[in-house]
Each structure stands twice: as structure tokens, then as C-alpha cells.
């Protein structure tokens, strides 16, 4: 997984032009009529600008998709906040590695910890969305993105039937179109036979560039050839003890942000479609 050296990649540091890009994106957004209250503050806009490689047009398109997705799924999303996903976090099916590889944040998903009788796929997706929102507060993640390790050990029919065509398509859309984040790589371990039909469907829905970032590893040594052992716990072929390897604060930080989401939904309930007002204090989706 590669980090982005901005000066070498662009020939100059695009961060030097960040304020100008923020103004360009804000001006373009002022022309758009949003179905919900939308943020136009610098912290929010820069996430999309960096995530879309400093392309103002792409950032604007991504922001539109971000809010259009919320509005089109309003019946399902209305009132959703981190506290409602506490069960998903307590399953310990999703964890965050403390140490990054070349600036890329690494998320670890272990299927054997996902009890579908406690948390269904839609709730797990909502919990993952809050995690992505939290990770995107970090400039390094905005620039370099994140990678995912998925341990498929324990993946059975109860898991597989959650992944309908609609759910697979929706999940891919969220990652590739709605969130302004680069997926630097997806690494699969212990893949069972039941996984491969789902893999075939997913590969038909993602561009070739993303397909090349998808890796199935036959063993931990294969994984270590891509992600060095200094970033991984012993259980994944690394050198770190379990207590050293994981970021244990990220989910507690997410659960402390319920008020931010309450504020957003309380305002969104009475909002009517209109163009953005540069002077209006936008309701925030996140802090």
C-alpha cells in the first residue's frame, strides 16, 4: 500500500492552493439546491478536496452524492447515531491497527466475531460509516486513505445471505462514490468456498483500478509481504503483542459524538430544499 508524496506526484504541493480550492468548491456548491442542510466549512470541504486528489469538480460531485445519499435513504437513516451501533462495536468484529503502513490506516475485520443474530449487515454498514467519518478527521487518512484486512475465518451461510446484490452494490457505492476516501487495498485471509460467488459479483461492480487493489492471501507470509510485521500483531504474523497493536480509543471517541448527530437530524427534519447561504450556519453531520 503506497502513500502519496504530494510534491513528487503533482510537481508541487497542492496544499499550497488548498484555500483557493476551498473557495472554488464553496462557490460551486452555492449554485446547487441541496435536499438537506449541507456543511460548507473548511474542515468539511477539505476532506473531499484531498480525497478527490485536489480536483475541485470531483470534490463537488462527491459532496453532492454524499448528501443525495443521505436524502434518498432518509427513511432508513433518520435519527441514526453512534449509540445505536454500540452492539456492532462491542462485537469486536471491526478493529483498527494502531500503526500505519506508509501513512495508510489499516482496518481489520474478523468475520468469526460477527454474530448476524445480534447485528445485521445494514447496522454493521452504519457502524462502518461512523468509523469512516471518524477516520476522515485525520489529514493523513484524507491524503493516503485506508486499507482493509478481512479475516474470513468463520464466514458461513448466515453471513453470506446478508450480502444480497443490492447490499453489495450499495456498499461499493458508499466506499467508491459517497465517501471521499481512497481504499489503498483490501486483503482477504482464509477465504471459504461460499465467499467466491460474492467476490465474482463485487468484481463486476468495481472499476479495474479497484480490482487490482483486491488481494486474496493464501497465508500470513503472503500478507506480510505487503504489510510489514512491525505494523501487525502476532496473530496476523506480526511482531506486536495484542495490547500494542490495536487502537482502543477510536470507538469510544465515536460513541461520544451522539450529540453532533442529534443536532443534525433535529435540524434536517424541518429543512426544505434550497440553495446554500454563505452566511447560514450549516447543521453539521459530524463535528
Amino acid at each position: 500500500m503506497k502513500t502519496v508524496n504530494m510534491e513528487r506526484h503533482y510537481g508541487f504541493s497542492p496544499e499550497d492552493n488548498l484555500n483557493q480550492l476551498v473557495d472554488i468548491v464553496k462557490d460551486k456548491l452555492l449554485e446547487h439546491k441541496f435536499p438537506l442542510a449541507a456543511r460548507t466549512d473548511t474542515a468539511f470541504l477539505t476532506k473531499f478536496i484531498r480525497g478527490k486528489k485536489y480536483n475541485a469538480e470531483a470534490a463537488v460531485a462527491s459532496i453532492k452524492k454524499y448528501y443525495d445519499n443521505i436524502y434518498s435513504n432518509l427513511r432508513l437513516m433518520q435519527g441514526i447515531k453512534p449509540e445505536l451501533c454500540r452492539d456492532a462495536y462491542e462485537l469486536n468484529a471491526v478493529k483498527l491497527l494502531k500503526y500505519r503502513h506508509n501513512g495508510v490506516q489499516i482496518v481489520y475485520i474478523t468475520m468469526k466475531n460477527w454474530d448476524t443474530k445480534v447485528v445485521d449487515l445494514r447496522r454493521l454498514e452504519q457502524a462502518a460509516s461512523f468509523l469512516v467519518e471518524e477516520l476522515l478527521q485525520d489529514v493523513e487518512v484524507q491524503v493516503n486513505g485506508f486499507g482493509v484486512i478481512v479475516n474470513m475465518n468463520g464466514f458461513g451461510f448466515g453471513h453470506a445471505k446478508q450480502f444480497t446484490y443490492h447490499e453489495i452494490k450499495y456498499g461499493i457505492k458508499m466506499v467508491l462514490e459517497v465517501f471521499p476516501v481512497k481504499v489503498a487495498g483490501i486483503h482477504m485471509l482464509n477465504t471459504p468456498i461460499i465467499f467466491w460467488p460474492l467476490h465474482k459479483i463485487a468484481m463486476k461492480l468495481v472499476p479495474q483500478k479497484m480490482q487490482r487493489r483486491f488481494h486474496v492471501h493464501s497465508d500470513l507470509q503472503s500478507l506480510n509481504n505487503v504489510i510489514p510485521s512491525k505494523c501487525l500483531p502476532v496473530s496476523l504474523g506480526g511482531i506486536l503483542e495484542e495490547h500494542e497493536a490495536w487502537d482502543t480509543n477510536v470507538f469510544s471517541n465515536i460513541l461520544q459524538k451522539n450529540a453532533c448527530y442529534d443536532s443534525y437530524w433535529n435540524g434536517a427534519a424541518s429543512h426544505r430544499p434550497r440553495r446554500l447561504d454563505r452566511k447560514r450556519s450549516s447543521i453539521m453531520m459530524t463535528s
Side-chain angles (χ1 to χ4, degrees):
M1 291 184 285
K2 298 180 179 179
T3 186
V4 177
N5 183 313
M6 290 188 291
E7 293 193 25
R8 186 173 61 198
H9 184 78
Y10 296 99
F12 63 93
S13 176
E15 289 288 312
D16 294 340
N17 298 327
L18 192 59
N19 290 336
Q20 181 182 358
L21 288 169
V22 167
D23 289 338
I24 291 171
V25 170
K26 187 177 294 186
D27 287 340
K28 290 183 178 295
L29 290 176
L30 291 171
E31 301 170 1
H32 183 69
K33 185 177 289 187
F34 280 88
L36 291 171
R39 289 176 58 177
T40 57
D41 58 280
T42 298
F44 180 77
L45 298 184
T46 52
K47 291 192 296 186
F48 288 85
I49 292 169
R50 292 185 179 116
K52 294 304 175 180
K53 298 183 178 179
Y54 303 89
N55 183 318
E57 293 288 347
V60 171
S62 184
I63 293 169
K64 290 178 180 178
K65 288 179 180 178
Y66 179 88
Y67 280 107
D68 286 346
N69 174 71
I70 295 173
Y71 186 66
S72 62
N73 294 283
L74 196 58
R75 185 176 62 83
L76 295 173
M77 297 180 68
Q78 184 90 39
I80 289 296
K81 57 185 178 180
E83 181 60 36
L84 298 178
C85 297
R86 182 180 289 274
D87 286 349
Y89 296 134
E90 290 179 347
L91 287 177
N92 214 25
V94 181
K95 302 165 79 172
L96 199 67
L97 285 172
K98 185 182 295 183
Y99 299 101
R100 300 176 182 182
H101 175 42
N102 289 337
V104 175
Q105 178 72 70
I106 303 171
V107 178
Y108 177 64
I109 301 173
T110 176
M111 287 294 176
K112 70 177 182 180
N113 287 355
W114 175 23
D115 186 345
T116 58
K117 295 178 181 179
V118 176
V119 175
D120 63 13
L121 179 60
R122 182 48 61 94
R123 185 65 83 199
L124 199 64
E125 288 174 341
Q126 291 165 345
S129 295
F130 290 129
L131 175 60
V132 173
E133 293 269 15
E134 182 69 18
L135 295 181
L136 282 172
Q137 306 304 313
D138 189 316
V139 172
E140 195 172 41
V141 174
Q142 293 171 19
V143 174
N144 296 314
F146 67 87
V148 183
I149 301 172
V150 185
N151 189 341
M152 297 293 287
N153 184 33
F155 186 85
F157 180 73
H159 298 101
K161 70 179 183 180
Q162 300 266 327
F163 291 90
T164 63
Y165 178 83
H166 172 77
E167 291 293 350
I168 293 172
K169 187 175 182 179
Y170 177 77
I172 290 172
K173 176 184 176 182
M174 288 294 292
V175 173
L176 298 186
E177 297 182 18
V178 175
F179 284 114
V181 63
K182 171 186 175 182
V183 180
I186 299 177
H187 303 271
M188 311 296 293
L189 293 168
N190 302 313
T191 51
I193 294 175
I194 198 172
F195 157 77
W196 291 104
L198 303 175
H199 171 265
K200 186 176 181 179
I201 294 171
M203 290 300 101
K204 290 182 178 180
L205 295 172
V206 299
Q208 288 188 353
K209 183 177 182 180
M210 190 63 228
Q211 291 180 27
R212 291 193 294 269
R213 296 177 185 171
F214 192 95
H215 309 278
V216 177
H217 298 279
S218 57
D219 52 37
L220 292 178
Q221 182 58 54
S222 173
L223 176 67
N224 295 160
N225 289 338
V226 182
I227 303 174
S229 58
K230 66 181 181 181
C231 299
L232 299 170
V234 173
S235 58
L236 291 176
I239 62 173
L240 300 173
E241 297 297 331
E242 293 296 317
H243 69 276
E244 298 175 310
W246 306 108
D247 181 342
T248 58
N249 297 319
V250 61
F251 297 111
S252 59
N253 291 340
I254 293 171
L255 289 168
Q256 291 174 9
K257 294 188 174 180
N258 290 296
C260 298
Y261 290 89
D262 284 337
S263 175
Y264 179 83
W265 292 121
N266 289 339
S270 60
H271 185 74
R272 293 292 180 269
R274 56 179 170 177
R275 287 188 172 84
L276 298 179
D277 183 346
R278 189 183 289 271
K279 296 180 181 180
R280 181 165 61 87
S281 177
S282 297
I283 302 166
M284 297 183 184
M285 189 61 185
T286 58
S287 61

